[in-house]
């Protein structure tokens, strides 16, 4: 399939329940590992306190990043991918990192006007009528 046959699509990116569940699961796993390491240590050292501090800091940072995810829309116009964040329009190059059929993890590399990157978790449940168009456009735009 060539990129000129890929459907044009706009897909709203919202905070995903799957993203929240993955975050909660990884947090639980990391917390249990930290707790087990502390419980099985023969004696406590500064590393235990430092590790607990880093764990809490990273948890708060990740939670805030998830909770403050801005309203975004990913759009394919048949030639270019753009990410719209409010009034800002950024040319991006998406890469599918994980495809779980009903959920995806996308890495968006900013092309213009800003350089940078972001990670987004589109889910079929947020716009089921556009989900297959998004998937087709992602595949077709890689081949074009």
């Amino acid at each position: 399939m060539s990129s000129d046959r890929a459907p044009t699509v706009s897909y709203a990116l919202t905070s995903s329940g799957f993203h929240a569940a993955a975050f909660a699961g990884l947090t639980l796993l990391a917390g249990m590992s930290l707790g087990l390491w502390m419980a099985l240590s023969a004696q406590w050292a500064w590393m235990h306190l430092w590790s607990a501090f880093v764990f809490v800091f990273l948890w708060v940072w990740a939670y805030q990043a998830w909770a403050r995810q801005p309203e975004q829309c990913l759009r394919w116009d048949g030639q270019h991918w753009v990410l719209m964040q409010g009034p800002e329009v950024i040319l991006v190059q998406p890469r599918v990192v994980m495809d779980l059929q009903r959920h995806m993890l996308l890495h968006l590399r900013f092309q213009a006007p800003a350089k940078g990157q972001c990670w987004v978790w589109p889910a079929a449940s947020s716009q089921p009528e556009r989900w297959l168009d998004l998937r087709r456009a992602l595949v077709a735009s890689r081949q074009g």
Side-chain angles (χ1 to χ4, degrees):
M1 176 187 277
S2 67
S3 61
D4 59 341
R5 291 181 27 205
T8 60
V9 65
S10 292
Y11 205 85
L13 302 170
T14 60
S15 294
S16 163
F18 180 78
H19 180 193
F23 169 68
L26 289 174
T27 300
L28 181 62
L29 183 62
M32 288 173 37
S33 299
L34 180 63
L36 186 61
W37 173 59
M38 289 177 162
L40 295 178
S41 294
Q43 61 182 9
W44 279 46
W46 64 270
M47 287 180 18
H48 292 91
L49 183 59
W50 180 248
S51 297
F53 173 76
V54 168
F55 170 76
V56 170
F57 175 79
L58 290 176
W59 181 87
V60 169
W61 174 76
Y63 175 78
Q64 287 182 345
W66 175 80
R68 293 181 183 173
Q69 184 177 349
E71 289 291 322
Q72 300 173 322
C73 184
L74 184 61
R75 183 176 3 162
W76 168 250
D77 64 8
Q79 289 187 306
H80 301 97
W81 284 100
V82 294
L83 178 67
M84 297 180 295
Q85 294 179 328
E88 189 175 11
V89 177
I90 305 166
L91 185 64
V92 297
Q93 179 182 1
R95 181 172 60 93
V96 178
V97 176
M98 188 184 321
D99 185 349
L100 302 173
Q101 302 302 311
R102 307 294 296 159
H103 306 278
M104 283 190 286
L105 174 59
L106 301 178
H107 177 236
L108 304 179
R109 183 170 295 147
F110 298 174
Q111 304 295 305
K115 295 293 182 184
Q117 63 183 351
C118 71
W119 299 81
V120 295
W121 292 83
S125 59
S126 67
Q127 289 181 292
E129 69 283 357
R130 294 183 180 170
W131 179 249
L132 293 178
D133 288 341
L134 174 66
R135 290 175 53 84
R136 281 192 283 277
L138 284 164
V139 170
S141 65
R142 280 188 297 197
Q143 296 173 353

